[in-house]
Amino acid sequence: MGPGPSNVNPRILEAMSRPTIGHLDPQFVGMMDEVKELLHYAFQTNNPLTIPVSAPGSAGMETCFVNLVEPGDTVIVCQNGVFGGRMRENVERCGATPIMVEDAWGAPVDPQKLEDALKAHPQARVTAFVHAETSTGAQSDAATLVALAHEHDCLTIVDTVTSLGGTPVLVDEWAADAVYSGTQKCLSCTPGLSPVSFGERAVDAVKARKTKVQSWFLDLNLVMGYWGPNSKRAYHHTAPVNALYGLHEALAILRDEGLEHAWARHDANHQALKAGLEAMGLEFLVQDKYRLPQLNAVMVPESVDEAAVRARLLAEFNLEIGAGLGDLAGKVWRIGLMGYSSNPGNVLYCISALEAVLGSLGAPIQQGAALSATEYQLTVGTDQPR
Ligand SMILES: Cc1ncc(COP(=O)(O)O)c(C=O)c1O
């Protein structure tokens, strides 16, 4: 129950243990087409260029930057946590100039600040932001940010690593140009693949580049020879065959559950966790309306050694929760309720284990009320999807 990887659904592990066939085998090629179809559903897009990159989420991020950014470009990067910082690194390594739009860690990206930056830097070609900041648990308003960027003729790069499958990712409705995600969060697959989707304007920009994409491996012009619509399925790299079996199964599970149901489930389990945590007297970092149900950043009470609590949860309860990153190190715990891990049993287990450990350490919490508050919330549920 950390910030990812989440627990992997056994159906996925079973799929991954099937015999490895050739990455050009007709059956495998047929499965690749199904993976693309299923990704269209998960991302809510009709973009033909929607494929899994053969490497983890950071490679999806890098795919977007190296294909869309050229040396000398100006790129606006919104940062409200760790991963906006990684975007900045990408921009600099592409030989471009990042213009940083900073917000407090725990707050969403402020559209007004983005608009000010777009007006101040009319030469900017690309705007990038993280939809769901895993380091803080804050969700930003992707539709508004994309619309603002478009008003100023900027392409958009959107990180949906933690949101995909957990909260709405509506690529076509947002009109986002390049989006990437990961497999190990709300898809509950093993880590190591990064689904990406490029819209028409982004594809045109890749084709119109003046310079070669600096990464051979991530150059979409080459990757598309293997994955692309109407491609000849020419060898580019040896696809991670069994990892793709796993992604296929994960996406089929998501399709069978239905996106709306998956979003509602994440929300209901978050509400139950919240009821228990608040009954103990614990507080969240992020304001309610910006909070990600799948990533709960909880303030560590005064005088509590947060690392000792995590160590005991792991040793005594076999339960992993995450630590704070950067400025939030020592100040928050990050409790994940992602994908297969987002279920009532886990919520009850986490609340009771946390209460037991905090109680035995003499932490200043309310004892005895958390489990019944969680149970009550699970019973009444939520009929108001966020
Ligand atoms: C928001 C976000 N972006 C990017 C990444 C990088 O993904 P990966 O660790 O799979 O490379 C992560 C990983 O946690 C993330 O949470």
Side-chain angles (χ1 to χ4, degrees), residues 1-4 282 295-301 304-326 328-336 349-350 353-361 363:
M1 296 180 78
L282 298 176
L295 195 288
N296 297 270
V298 183
M299 304 301 293
V300 176
V304 170
D305 175 354
E306 76 80 22
V309 173
R310 281 187 297 110
R312 283 194 50 189
L313 286 173
L314 194 56
E316 295 167 29
F317 293 89
N318 204 24
L319 175 66
E320 180 197 74
I321 64 169
L325 297 179
L328 295 173
K331 296 184 187 149
V332 298
W333 292 299
R334 290 180 302 148
I335 303 178
Y349 189 65
C350 178
L354 194 58
E355 185 175 33
V357 169
L358 287 174
S360 77
L361 289 171

Side-chain angles (χ1 to χ4, degrees), residues 149-174:
H150 286 171
E151 277 170 31
H152 294 266
D153 287 333
C154 267
L155 292 170
T156 46
I157 296 176
V158 186
D159 179 318
T160 65
V161 170
T162 279
S163 36
L164 189 69
T167 48
V169 172
L170 309 171
V171 172
D172 286 358
E173 194 178 308
W174 298 345

Side-chain angles (χ1 to χ4, degrees), residues 39-45 50 160 164 169-171 179 181 195 197:
L39 280 177
H40 284 153
Y41 173 67
F43 273 131
Q44 293 286 281
T45 185
T50 301
T160 65
L164 189 69
V169 172
L170 309 171
V171 172
V179 177
S181 191
S197 183

Side-chain angles (χ1 to χ4, degrees), residues 62-353:
E62 203 144 339
T63 299
C64 294
F65 283 95
V66 297
N67 281 279
L68 291 179
V69 178
E70 295 195 64
D73 284 350
T74 299
V75 178
I76 297 183
V77 176
C78 305
Q79 181 170 14
N80 61 341
V82 166
F83 293 99
R86 194 171 293 185
M87 287 178 154
R88 175 198 192 131
E89 280 285 329
N90 271 269
V91 172
E92 287 171 350
R93 284 158 197 251
C94 290
T97 305
I99 304 294
M100 299 304 290
V101 174
E102 310 261 359
D103 275 291
W105 288 31
V109 174
D110 180 351
Q112 186 59 55
K113 286 189 190 169
L114 172 59
E115 189 165 16
D116 294 346
L118 287 160
K119 283 184 181 152
H121 301 279
Q123 78 282 19
R125 286 191 58 244
V126 175
T127 291
F129 65 89
V130 178
H131 177 226
E133 230 326 323
T134 326
S135 60
T136 68
Q139 181 162 270
S140 293
D141 178 354
T144 300
L145 299 175
V146 169
L148 278 172
H150 286 171
E151 277 170 31
H152 294 266
D153 287 333
C154 267
L155 292 170
T156 46
I157 296 176
V158 186
D159 179 318
T160 65
V161 170
T162 279
S163 36
L164 189 69
T167 48
V169 172
L170 309 171
V171 172
D172 286 358
E173 194 178 308
W174 298 345
D177 300 293
V179 177
Y180 61 91
S181 191
T183 44
Q184 75 273 29
K185 312 275 189 189
C186 296
L187 298 182
S188 267
C189 192
T190 48
L193 293 175
S194 180
V196 299
S197 183
F198 275 56
E200 205 177 329
R201 273 181 304 193
V203 172
D204 289 346
V206 179
K207 287 189 185 146
R209 285 179 66 97
K210 296 188 276 303
T211 56
K212 249 185 177 179
V213 173
Q214 57 270 49
S215 161
W216 177 87
F217 184 62
L218 300 176
D219 182 345
L220 284 174
N221 296 302
L222 306 178
V223 175
M224 290 312 284
Y226 179 56
W227 269 103
N230 313 318
S231 78
K232 294 206 172 77
R233 303 289 185 205
Y235 166 70
H236 174 257
H237 62 279
T238 308
V241 171
N242 294 60
L244 286 164
Y245 294 164
L247 177 60
H248 181 273
E249 192 70 14
L251 293 168
I253 290 169
L254 180 63
R255 180 206 50 203
D256 292 350
E257 179 177 15
L259 278 172
E260 279 84 6
H261 193 275
W263 299 332
R265 173 172 55 83
H266 281 87
D267 189 50
N269 291 317
H270 160 75
Q271 298 296 342
L273 185 80
K274 170 177 175 261
L277 294 172
E278 289 182 347
M280 272 189 251
L282 298 176
E283 290 171 2
F284 282 81
L285 170 73
V286 177
Q287 273 185 46
D288 195 24
K289 60 182 169 182
Y290 305 123
R291 214 174 274 161
L292 283 166
Q294 61 272 48
L295 195 288
N296 297 270
V298 183
M299 304 301 293
V300 176
E302 288 281 318
S303 76
V304 170
D305 175 354
E306 76 80 22
V309 173
R310 281 187 297 110
R312 283 194 50 189
L313 286 173
L314 194 56
E316 295 167 29
F317 293 89
N318 204 24
L319 175 66
E320 180 197 74
I321 64 169
L325 297 179
D327 287 351
L328 295 173
K331 296 184 187 149
V332 298
W333 292 299
R334 290 180 302 148
I335 303 178
L337 283 172
M338 297 176 171
Y340 189 64
S341 299
S342 181
N343 63 65
N346 275 0
V347 174
L348 287 165
Y349 189 65
C350 178
I351 289 293
S352 49

